[in-house]
Amino acid sequence: QVQLVESGGGSAQSGGSLRLSCAASGVDSRYCMGWFRQAPGKEREGVAAIDSGDTTTYTDSVKGRFTISRDNTRNTLYLQMNILKPEDTAMYYCAARRWSGICRGPRLSRYDYDHWGQGTQVTVSS
């Protein structure tokens, strides 16, 4: 059974950093994994994703600032967020899905995932 638990959210000043973690029990390296966020009144959007070969992809607004990584020995997904901006304020969610075989190609669409965590709030003040 897959269970995803996010941690590491909180408050930060503009220009600051936060590191999110997702403890992913029941998940192994064959899973596609990603980070999503949802601000009030907005749709959930893909932020960063990673595949079985550690290939990554990012939404344009976070490129050069955020880094996604996974530690398969610890079943943990990370999101290092640097140079934070107020528009990064949102609830952040970890997501996972096992497709046939290994995950080839990171996926940023929320429709490509079927396991979700409860989320961790990130608030960035100017």
Side-chain angles (χ1 to χ4, degrees):
Q1 184 176 354
V2 174
Q3 185 175 16
L4 306 175
V5 179
E6 302 93 338
S7 62
S11 298
Q13 295 283 333
S14 182
S17 298
L18 285 172
R19 187 195 197 199
L20 305 184
S21 298
C22 172
S25 59
V27 171
D28 58 34
S29 62
R30 295 170 294 181
Y31 279 71
C32 292
M33 298 200 75
W35 285 99
F36 290 74
R37 66 186 179 188
Q38 187 167 17
K42 294 189 176 181
E43 291 190 355
R44 190 170 297 189
E45 66 165 342
V47 175
I50 189 167
D51 72 1
S52 296
D54 289 341
T55 298
T56 58
T57 191
Y58 300 88
T59 192
D60 286 346
S61 62
V62 308
K63 285 180 181 176
R65 301 189 297 121
F66 290 10
T67 302
I68 187 173
S69 61
R70 64 196 297 173
D71 184 340
N72 293 320
T73 62
R74 297 185 177 185
N75 292 338
T76 303
L77 181 73
Y78 301 99
L79 185 68
Q80 178 66 45
M81 304 187 296
N82 298 328
I83 316 175
L84 284 163
K85 303 177 180 180
E87 51 263 44
D88 295 321
T89 295
M91 185 72 77
Y92 282 71
Y93 298 90
C94 171
R97 180 165 181 174
R98 169 83 192 281
W99 296 83
S100 172
I102 64 172
C103 177
R104 292 187 175 89
R107 302 164 186 259
L108 276 180
S109 170
R110 65 182 188 268
Y111 301 109
D112 286 334
Y113 293 86
D114 56 4
H115 298 287
W116 295 87
Q118 293 300 305
T120 185
Q121 178 68 37
V122 171
T123 303
V124 183
S125 57
S126 57

